[in-house]
Amino acid sequence: MTVKIEEYELLNIDSGPYGITTGKDGTLLFTQHKANQIGRITVNGEVTHFAVPTSNAGVMSIISTTKGDVWFTENKANKIGKLTAAGEVIEYVLPHPNSAPFGITEGHNGDIWFTEMNGNRIGRILRSGEMIEYDLLNPSAYPSFIVAGPDDSIWFTENQSNQIGRITPFGEITNYLLPTKHAGPVGITCGPDDAIWFVEINGNKIGRITPSGTISEYTIPTANARPHAIITGPDRALWFTEWGSNQIGRMTMTGEFTEYEIPTQNAEPHGIVLGPDDAIWFAEECNKIGRLSIL
């Protein structure tokens, strides 16, 4: 497979792009935790920005919902942010201080679910705006990324307790311990095969868990790649960022790996998403947005 990687440099020096998502309007939206902004980039590379009202909010993960609203976590400000189609930013304060919200996803019925790394909870914002929180079973689990699963449940990684968590719409939580010790699961996504896939930043592996809890692991060829985020691509393969080795990785359903070097050294790739143009887009903390197209 031949690919082409392009990079778009942002005007704001050291803005810290981190999370990225595809908007309903056909653009890409991304967080800039150092510049305290939400950025929007077209497939042609035109960039606009939206300021976050709370200073030094620590904007991290970001999603676009089926309704077209954009939601993001404010890790330092202890808030969940919402960017409407009209460009207005609305913020929701978490009940407990210093909860450190991080991952975020849209649930099956339109509710917004998120993780609280320090709070050791899973949060939920109902369509009415009411917020509900669920305590995790393991102290200091450090829940990270989160995704709506192929079943009726929400799945998330527990970075410090080395588990994959599952929570039902009724708040029932189940945990699945990873075979690799101290694997440090982070990014998580729904695969093309009705399973949940995730990355192990310390274990240097790609993991797969079925809705029934069966786990498989695949070792990344490059040592210390430190995989961060993962998605399903347009080719039914898993694509992921390699923060440590400065690459974009690809793994097929049969466990075959390919890795692609990012042109900018020390780019620090984090968030990754399938774009509206069927290209793989990713956020580089070095102040660039990357695009990988399959030729």
Side-chain angles (χ1 to χ4, degrees):
M1 178 186 294
T2 303
V3 306
K4 177 183 179 182
I5 296 181
E6 304 165 273
E7 294 174 295
Y8 301 92
E9 188 162 8
L10 303 177
L11 296 178
N12 290 336
I13 298 174
D14 197 24
S15 66
Y18 193 88
I20 189 167
T21 190
T22 296
K24 195 174 181 181
D25 61 355
T27 65
L28 289 304
L29 296 111
F30 55 94
T31 57
Q32 302 169 82
H33 71 93
K34 295 180 182 179
N36 208 54
Q37 298 178 137
I38 302 300
R40 175 188 282 157
I41 184 170
T42 68
V43 293
N44 299 318
E46 300 167 352
V47 180
T48 52
H49 301 281
F50 302 90
V52 176
T54 302
S55 61
N56 194 30
V59 287
M60 290 292 180
S61 299
I62 186 169
I63 57 158
S64 178
T65 68
T66 51
K67 291 177 60 178
D69 292 323
V70 175
W71 292 78
F72 52 93
T73 52
E74 300 182 27
N75 185 260
K76 294 180 180 179
N78 208 53
K79 298 177 181 179
I80 301 297
K82 174 185 175 182
L83 175 65
T84 68
E88 178 188 7
V89 175
I90 303 169
E91 295 175 302
Y92 299 81
V93 180
L94 272 61
H96 300 88
N98 193 34
S99 292
F102 182 75
I104 192 166
T105 194
E106 181 181 14
H108 301 88
N109 68 343
D111 291 350
I112 302 300
W113 294 75
F114 56 92
T115 61
E116 300 179 20
M117 292 195 304
N118 293 344
N120 208 52
R121 289 178 289 266
I122 300 300
R124 180 183 187 182
I125 300 178
L126 307 181
R127 285 171 291 176
S128 63
E130 179 188 356
M131 190 177 295
I132 304 173
E133 294 176 303
Y134 305 92
D135 291 323
L136 295 184
L137 305 177
N138 303 288
S140 304
Y142 212 68
S144 299
F145 282 95
I146 188 168
V147 70
D151 51 2
D152 290 332
S153 299
I154 305 295
W155 293 74
F156 53 94
T157 52
E158 298 180 29
N159 181 262
Q160 295 299 305
S161 64
N162 209 49
Q163 299 179 110
I164 302 299
R166 174 182 180 266
I167 183 169
T168 70
F170 306 103
E172 301 163 341
I173 298 173
T174 310
N175 291 302
Y176 302 92
L177 186 65
L178 298 182
T180 300
K181 294 182 178 180
H182 311 297
V186 187
I188 191 168
T189 193
C190 274
D193 57 347
D194 288 333
I196 299 96
W197 292 76
F198 55 93
V199 297
E200 301 177 8
I201 196 168
N202 296 332
N204 208 54
K205 297 176 181 179
I206 302 299
R208 176 183 184 269
I209 183 169
T210 66
S212 62
T214 301
I215 298 174
S216 308
E217 294 175 307
Y218 305 84
T219 301
I220 297 171
T222 301
N224 300 314
R226 296 192 66 77
H228 181 81
I230 185 170
I231 57 163
T232 296
D235 52 354
R236 288 183 56 83
L238 285 308
W239 291 80
F240 52 96
T241 50
E242 298 184 13
W243 176 54
S245 62
N246 207 56
Q247 299 179 115
I248 301 299
R250 175 182 182 268
M251 194 192 86
T252 67
M253 291 289 98
T254 55
E256 299 169 348
F257 284 90
T258 313
E259 295 167 297
Y260 304 96
E261 187 73 22
I262 297 172
T264 300
Q265 294 184 356
N266 302 315
E268 295 192 79
H270 288 297
I272 189 169
V273 72
L274 176 62
D277 53 355
D278 277 345
I280 306 297
W281 290 75
F282 51 97
E284 304 175 25
E285 203 165 357
C286 72
N287 210 49
K288 296 181 180 180
I289 300 297
R291 178 182 182 271
L292 183 152
S293 54
I294 303 170
L295 304 177

